């Protein structure tokens, strides 16, 4: 850990000591906002940021993210959670209360292409990605040197489709021991089993190197080149058991032209992948994402 | 009025019969959201869209836009306005309640360059700009033919700086008789007097042909060409008595290169001006803009 | 025709009287550029804009567009074409020489959604789209009123898949009589027969309302909404007999969010469709496009 | 140097052994392109990429960049340079011939904010920035730890306006000893003397943290926040003795909203600064930039 990062962490801790967030999902009905805001008012909490969205105002689903500060929060955690229970029951809410100073533990999975891993490490080192990068797991030794230079443990676990089960057992063991909250697949070129994916539902973030749903599957840059598209993109999404079909978190694109060959597309694409994955991970860490019916609401 | 426009207007009226919006500005304090949402709950109104923003959570200003539907709204207008008064007093609110079906009356001022005027007429004709374009005023005859082909009254009022007062008297008379709510300066090349500007505070929208504050004043494309910028832009803002210094509503830009001469920049710039002004006018018509200390909050 | 358009046409004619363009495609080999530039030098032509591209420098295909001015061009047309023949033969060129003042005749095909048609008519009326919009053909009466208000002939030819052959016979007759150079499918919702498509190879421009190859086929906005993409786009391409698989000319996109429903996506998408198709048509009119192996080179 | 970088350098050397570039500027006249392409043809060189631009076709300036491969180039360097002399004299050319495998030596100057420095180091380490980062000079110790971890020499030279001359003497000494070709001011917060700037004319690249000419001078993010702009940007330019007025190389922008405070603008702005400076440096290294009358032509 360098001095920038130390200062960033200190600043983060200072700012966020008394800060928390509700993420709420429930059937739309009258009085939800009134109840939640009344609850916070009663507990002397001050709303810092509030977002809501109603899917189909004529009787659909309601979503809310509300961030607040509350004096002496560390001693009120339990009280807040208990008191909110009654409201949540009344409105039939699916909800979470997160305390901002509890930083999430991140595991990064990577294979041979390391540009996305590097971006995350750089952002983390600069104090812009506020989570603990606890460890990196790879089926290649390629990234070891760089990862360890950041003082982060690197686990080499060779993998192929015939030993998938054993590999995942080892990975799960490591993830468990390190209390991992979220896994980032930063160009990890192995398919995960349904069991593994379910264990990390909505906590398993992938980067796909195309503007999904264009070029689902392998070799998107090659296929983009062959199709002659005028823009290429990247997509970050939560992983589900339908390949490249999970809820999209973020996408971005850049213009290309006939003058770019496949290698040129790939180089541009990698810079898009870097920023798309980095944004998606940050939004996850800031509890800005609610998943509903294979789509994301980003607050 | 053509058949598309008629259908759009009908669709608009059907959708918006029972729809209204609050725009609120007040000192930040606990309980505002709770009070407003409780109020709407009590009147059986259903929130359709809600946005809020706090300028400086440590004791600054609070802003809110809340759109709702309410059965039988036409008979409840007065009741809602009266009842809300008490809440507004308590929180020291600066507020407005707008009924969506009351479309705003628009006057467009234009000189010789008519691309921005055309975009507004086209959007209006397509049913995408939901206001009444009541009339067009110009200091040139250039636009008459086209404006009248849309069935819109065109007033030719020659203008120059020596007869500013008389010109504005004529304009004000026309604006008053037509109950104009908002004026759009779609490349109107005359300076307005402070009196005129004050009468239409926050209801007088201009398009400036540069990415303000770059190239304040005259001939921005010429100066952009001379400076060799790699992007050009346009800015829509409310007019104040400081030239080109009013609250910015919207900006956009496009890439240019050394290969564009001044005429080329102007051509690209005009397409940016078209869409920037059109967005700003739509946001104003949808009551999405709050002005605070020479800046806009756009909800 | 209004006064703006008249002035634009006059300006266009004045500027382009002595201007012409070569479009060249041939196997890459040494000396091509030297030969072409020497040819122009010999004929006292001055190069105004020159672009070239080599597909795979290790022995691939060479493409070139070169625009030049040449005093007294109208009397040298034949001479230039004849003289260039020898060079073309030597390098085995596929080539065209176009004289800019010969404006192309355009037919627009449209069904019920007219936003793309309107954009082309508006750009044309403003003098920004430099071709002759000779006529509009539609399988609905929807656009008649507006098209005729521009003084452009409108042909209503009802169509469905059972009478495809007869319909196309009528269309071909009209196209032939009017010496149409390029057809623009501005949201024409009928499939054309292979014969028809072949007759207009690389002269038949379509707009597809998605970022191809995402959402090939019907209902792209519905499917984009269901997939939860974070950006939507549009694609203009030359039509081939593989549906939505022809050479892409231009694409563009805009950001959307969870807050946009299908109708919202469609509204944003229509503004993208307008500008993407308009750019593609302009590039075609300016002879900026070379098709090679189902891709476009845009100079 | 890590293994990625080694592989990249090897790949670079392999690809570029026989590759060179002409940059040409001269009065426009007939026969230039014919002469240059004939010259390359005679020397059995194959054109890989060619760009040209004429400033004002009616008798202005002509610019050209032409990249070519030529078998056994290392033994033909002198011959090419000598032979081209005659052509250059004839057309009164200002010209340079650069051999791609001669990588440029780069010095980076930085103060306390290191995000731009980091981006350059990262790109360099990934093998995407093809030059030698020979050394870093700073008036603070902040960046030492990180710079030295890349194996790059770091020189701490305290600076202030009273000792400008002595400071620059030390800097010049170091630059000379290390045969520096280009200096990158990656947020170096000291003004350079006219002498120093002249020594590195068109080889001294700065990043300014605003969309110039908006917010020339100090504190652009603060002023952008106060003005309420809806987009912020960054500008990379060659340094001249007019502060922030040198030839612009690249600019980029991102959307912001009322919800961003000054710190938020700065964070977004830093990511723009990173990519804008990185692009400008790469274009310089690839000899893509010609400066003419305080503007850049980018090929």
């Amino acid at each position: 850990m360098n001095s920038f990062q130390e200062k960033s962490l200190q600043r983060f801790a200072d700012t966020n000591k008394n800060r928390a967030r509700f993420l709420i999902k429930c059937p739309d009905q009258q009085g939800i906002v009134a109840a939640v805001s009344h609850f916070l008012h009663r507990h002397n909490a001050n709303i810092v940021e509030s977002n809501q969205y109603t899917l189909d105002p004529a009787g659909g689903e309601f979503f809310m993210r509300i961030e607040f500060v509350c004096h002496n929060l560390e001693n009120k955690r339990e009280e807040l959670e208990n008191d909110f229970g009654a409201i949540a029951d009344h409105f039939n809410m699916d909800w979470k209360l997160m305390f901002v100073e509890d930083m999430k533990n991140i595991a990064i999975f990577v294979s041979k292409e390391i540009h996305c891993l590097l971006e995350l490490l750089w952002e983390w080192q600069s104090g812009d990605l506020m989570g603990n990068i606890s460890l990196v797991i790879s089926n290649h030794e390629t990234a070891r040197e760089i990862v360890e230079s950041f003082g982060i443990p690197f686990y080499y676990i060779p993998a192929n489709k015939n030993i998938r089960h054993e590999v995942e057992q080892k990975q799960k063991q490591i993830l468990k021991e390190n209390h991992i909250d979220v896994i980032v697949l930063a160009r990890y070129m192995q398919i995960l089993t349904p069991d593994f994916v379910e264990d990390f539902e909505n906590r398993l973030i992938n980067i796909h190197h195309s503007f999904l749903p264009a070029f689902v599957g392998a070799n998107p840059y090659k296929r983009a080149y062959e199709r002659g598209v005028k823009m290429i993109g990247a997509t970050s999404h939560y992983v589900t058991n339908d390949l490249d079909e999970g809820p999209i978190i973020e996408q971005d694109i850049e213009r290309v032209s006939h003058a770019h060959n496949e290698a040129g597309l790939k180089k541009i694409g990698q810079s898009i992948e870097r920023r798309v994955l980095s944004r998606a991970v940050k939004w996850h860490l800031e509890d800005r994402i609610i998943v509903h019916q294979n789509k994301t609401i980003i607050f």
Side-chain angles (χ1 to χ4, degrees), chain A:
Chain A
M1 192 177 299
N2 62 30
S3 52
F4 299 96
Q5 215 180 345
E6 266 167 36
K7 274 186 219 157
S8 295
L9 283 173
Q10 191 53 50
R11 213 164 42 225
F12 183 82
D14 294 349
T15 317
N16 294 301
K17 214 172 139 40
N18 288 316
R19 195 174 274 239
R21 299 159 187 151
F22 277 109
L23 280 190
I24 293 166
K25 173 159 101 175
C26 66
D28 192 25
Q29 54 207 292
Q30 288 195 341
I32 307 172
V33 178
V36 174
S37 47
H38 194 62
F39 166 85
L40 290 171
H41 186 38
R42 244 174 29 228
H43 286 85
N44 289 310
N46 220 26
I47 298 172
V48 173
E49 189 182 337
S50 169
N51 299 90
Q52 59 192 77
Y53 170 62
T54 307
L55 180 63
D56 185 6
E61 205 75 11
F62 174 85
F63 306 89
M64 188 174 206
R65 179 187 186 270
I66 198 157
E67 188 164 324
F68 60 93
V69 288
C70 183
H71 186 64
N72 193 21
L73 182 61
E74 62 195 320
N75 296 319
K76 288 185 185 168
R77 287 183 170 213
E78 226 170 307
E79 179 193 334
L80 282 171
E81 290 194 321
N82 290 341
D83 277 19
F84 196 74
I87 295 172
D89 285 352
H90 178 75
F91 290 102
N92 200 16
M93 285 175 178
D94 185 359
W95 65 288
K96 277 191 285 190
L97 173 58
M98 275 127 326
F99 301 95
V100 180
E101 68 174 348
D102 300 350
M103 282 208 294
K104 290 181 179 57
N105 296 323
I106 306 162
I108 302 175
F109 283 35
V110 70
S111 292
K112 282 176 159 176
E113 297 202 53
I114 66 161
H115 53 284
C116 287
L117 168 68
L118 284 177
E119 181 74 10
L120 296 173
L121 293 174
W122 295 334
E123 290 269 8
W124 177 73
Q125 184 177 252
S126 310
D128 287 329
L129 188 150
M130 276 302 162
N132 304 313
I133 299 188
S134 306
L135 55 95
V136 173
I137 290 177
S138 181
N139 56 333
H140 293 276
E141 285 283 10
T142 323
R144 178 185 294 279
E145 180 187 345
I146 277 175
V147 170
E148 292 184 345
S149 78
F150 282 82
I152 294 171
F154 177 88
Y155 296 89
Y156 168 52
I157 306 179
N160 66 57
K161 62 180 176 173
N162 300 318
I163 56 167
R164 199 162 282 164
H165 185 71
E166 300 87 308
V167 167
E168 290 190 354
Q169 283 313 106
K170 285 186 210 163
Q171 292 172 340
K172 281 181 180 179
Q173 182 67 19
I174 295 168
L175 297 171
K176 202 176 165 191
E177 284 168 11
N178 289 277
H179 308 284
I180 294 303
D181 296 299
V182 55
I183 301 175
V184 181
L185 304 183
R187 304 298 306 271
Y188 182 63
M189 303 283 98
Q190 295 287 318
I191 290 174
L192 301 168
T193 68
D195 270 7
F196 192 101
V197 169
E198 264 161 46
D199 278 6
F200 279 85
E201 194 190 4
N202 299 338
R203 299 186 297 141
L204 187 46
I205 299 173
N206 187 41
I207 180 75
H208 184 77
H209 41 322
S210 85
F211 187 83
L212 288 175
F215 309 121
V216 167
N219 292 324
Y221 293 124
K222 184 166 185 289
R223 288 150 67 207
Y225 175 70
E226 283 164 1
R227 183 63 188 91
V229 291
K230 300 299 184 186
M231 293 178 149
I232 56 165
T235 304
S236 184
H237 61 94
Y238 287 117
V239 177
T240 61
N241 285 311
D242 291 317
L243 186 67
D244 299 336
E245 296 287 346
I248 293 171
I249 303 169
E250 171 63 340
Q251 306 189 286
D252 209 345
I253 59 97
E254 275 189 36
R255 283 204 168 266
V256 296
S257 81
H258 62 267
H260 294 95
N261 59 13
E262 192 188 326
L265 295 188
K266 194 172 167 178
K267 190 158 272 196
I268 293 171
Q270 289 181 338
S271 80
I272 312 173
E273 293 170 42
R274 280 167 53 179
R275 63 174 187 262
V276 166
L277 181 60
S278 160
R279 279 183 211 144
V281 170
K282 284 179 193 172
W283 293 342
H284 182 93
L285 296 179
E286 295 171 10
D287 307 304
R288 296 194 169 279
I289 314 175
I290 300 180
V291 175
H292 179 68
Q293 292 179 341
N294 210 46
K295 295 198 225 178
T296 60
I297 288 114
I298 313 277
F299 282 136

